[in-house]
């Protein structure tokens, strides 16, 4: 039985349409409900909704809180998936890498380009891939997005194409 | 075989999420594709994509164009469904009412509070009800929304609750 | 506020795929959950799950039970939607018609050609149309299916095309 | 760019509901359409619809045809995902294993417990995981199903629980 701590922090993946404002916003948590659609028979998933914000608004204190969450449960919940906004996902991942030099498990950061409840969203695909990836990847920190697993020091978000690409 | 002219003008029902801007906007036409999901065996539906805008931005010229479209095809396509933004839907309907005093068919205006591809949308429900309503309603102009058919002079959009309500 | 008694009796609309038997069967009730996806703000819907069987297996006793259910709640829940298998839907409707000569409300029978949870299903469309129809139709008994409302004595299921058609 | 040959052979994952027979059957190919819902930017997927049958009906000739297909394109399309019925998936995998002793790529067999278009299906999840798995797994033959990757000689389908489980 693999134990996984899914730490949710917001980002586009969790945005919803608000009829009051006619915009998309981070309001309620969504990840838990979508995890419920997946079959994960030998996977003990604990969801920790840490925050729910656009990653452009993340502060050092926020990233520190993510790090604390990873450390606190590392004995009990070894594998970690962090859902996160795509704009500063790599920044958070590099921060974790320098703070956790002796990882014994994989830590996967993921998110989505379109909110998870919207037609054409990649949200459920990326969640599915991330929960699968933590079973197989070697210890380390990764971005898992759209069919690929990127080691954190070899990836960046390309703003023009809105895609994650390899840094050679 | 009932012939229906579905005139699409935009509004929230047709908004989509743009990954470039991270907002919801009126971009491509959506209604035709969703009509394709309904079973309408004795219904000859012609879709006329007239414009694709937020109804707060509609001008007198836009409403005049809608009226022209209704008149032009009234011989060949008697029943009419107009998809429209909810903010000025009643205004457009009242304009049509004063311009078409001797209607022989029902004209239904509909739209949605949440875009049609988004989780929890009422878009497909309202489209379904509108296409059903034009078979049954007496000649006149109506808003059909969320299980109700409102004669156009007896309805308003209540901004606080974001719902259509009866004017007594 | 319109009060509607939704009496569920089974049929294809409520069939589900069973992994144990690898077939589709009437097992759990489904209608309530799908009604929850519709916006029905001025509609007080009470769901009465009466039975859950293929309509080819319905007996006189079953039809009598449906009639009792309609009569019992006719004071409190005037409008009625009955979800039913398509094979003997007209037979049940004609039985109700001869037993209820002085109807003051519409009674709508509906179902689906493909189970409501399956891709391409007409289940939700027909439910949507039925709940809308009971607000507008004159008192009487009808089949509502795929965009049409058929008075019960003017419709039959055509087995070759698997569709409901008018009897002239 | 990873090139993947997706060989489809039928099974529950591709079954559809037939309104003519009121049963679920292997009729048209489905996998291609569902792959179109995934974002696979650095993945060149070629779909080869080889057959479309329940795996209980597979013959030695069928398995031989699958082997030929794997060999033929092994130069051009190194990674392989085979969609297959779950009942004899392991049997096909073991047959491929003894026939391909010097694999240089991963070959993944997958399928589903519920057809891919039905509510609650694991079909898209398993397809997503399989296309991700072929990027990461070491050369060899695997069953990928419901969040797990099983080497082919360490897995069996447990008929009572309808699940794939490890053989110790």
């Amino acid at each position: 039985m693999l134990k996984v701590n899914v730490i949710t922090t917001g980002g586009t993946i969790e945005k919803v349409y608000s009829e009051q404002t006619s915009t998309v916003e981070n309001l309620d948590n969504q990840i838990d409900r979508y995890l419920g659609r997946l079959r994960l028979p030998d996977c003990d998933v604990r969801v920790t909704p840490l925050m729910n914000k656009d990653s452009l608004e993340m502060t050092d204190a926020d990233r520190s809180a993510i790090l604390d969450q990873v450390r606190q449960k590392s004995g009990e919940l070894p594998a970690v998936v962090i859902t996160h906004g795509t704009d500063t996902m790599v920044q958070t991942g590099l921060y974790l890498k320098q703070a956790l030099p002796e990882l014994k498990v994989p830590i996967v950061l993921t998110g989505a380009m379109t909110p998870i409840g919207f037609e054409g969203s990649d949200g459920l695909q990326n969640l599915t891939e991330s929960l699968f990836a933590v079973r197989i990847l070697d210890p380390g920190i990764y971005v898992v997005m759209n069919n690929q697993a990127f080691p954190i020091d070899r990836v960046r978000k390309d703003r023009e194409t809105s895609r994650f690409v390899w840094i050679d």
Side-chain angles (χ1 to χ4, degrees), chain A:
Chain A
M1 175 73 72
L2 177 71
K3 295 190 178 189
V4 183
N5 187 6
V6 176
I7 304 169
T8 71
T9 69
T12 295
I13 189 172
E14 260 188 300
K15 286 190 174 173
V16 292
Y17 182 77
S18 160
E19 292 185 0
Q20 275 72 38
T21 62
S22 304
T23 63
V24 289
E25 307 177 355
N26 288 96
L27 292 173
D28 310 312
N29 298 118
Q30 303 293 316
I31 302 298
D32 218 334
R33 195 157 53 85
Y34 279 89
L35 285 175
R37 295 190 185 182
L38 301 176
R39 297 198 195 197
L40 310 166
D42 287 303
C43 199
D44 180 9
V45 177
R46 308 293 172 83
V47 180
T48 307
L50 201 59
M51 64 194 80
N52 196 348
K53 54 200 308 187
D54 189 308
S55 73
L56 288 170
E57 294 170 20
M58 268 192 180
T59 65
D60 291 344
D62 292 327
R63 292 194 170 85
S64 184
I66 296 172
L67 176 59
D68 284 346
Q69 177 53 225
V70 173
R71 279 179 169 147
Q72 276 177 39
K73 298 196 179 162
S74 63
E76 170 199 350
L77 294 168
V80 181
V81 171
I82 303 168
T83 61
H84 193 288
T86 57
D87 286 315
T88 66
M89 183 183 294
V90 173
Q91 181 179 341
T92 297
L94 290 171
Y95 167 75
L96 293 175
K97 183 176 163 73
Q98 59 81 31
L100 300 163
E102 295 184 3
L103 275 178
K104 297 193 169 47
V105 293
I107 296 179
V108 165
L109 291 105
T110 194
M113 306 307 299
T114 286
I116 202 166
F118 296 10
E119 184 188 21
S121 173
D122 52 332
L124 192 59
Q125 172 187 348
N126 298 338
L127 264 186
T128 301
E129 291 170 349
S130 298
L131 285 159
F132 182 83
V134 287
R135 283 190 181 277
I136 295 185
L137 293 171
D138 293 330
I141 302 186
Y142 305 83
V143 165
V144 168
M145 184 82 67
N146 294 358
N147 182 250
Q148 296 209 75
F150 303 90
I152 198 64
D153 54 353
R154 296 193 53 202
V155 64
R156 64 179 184 87
K157 180 181 176 182
D158 183 87
R159 292 196 182 291
E160 280 186 21
T161 58
S162 288
R163 284 184 43 196
F164 283 85
V165 295
W166 293 93
I167 301 172
D168 302 306

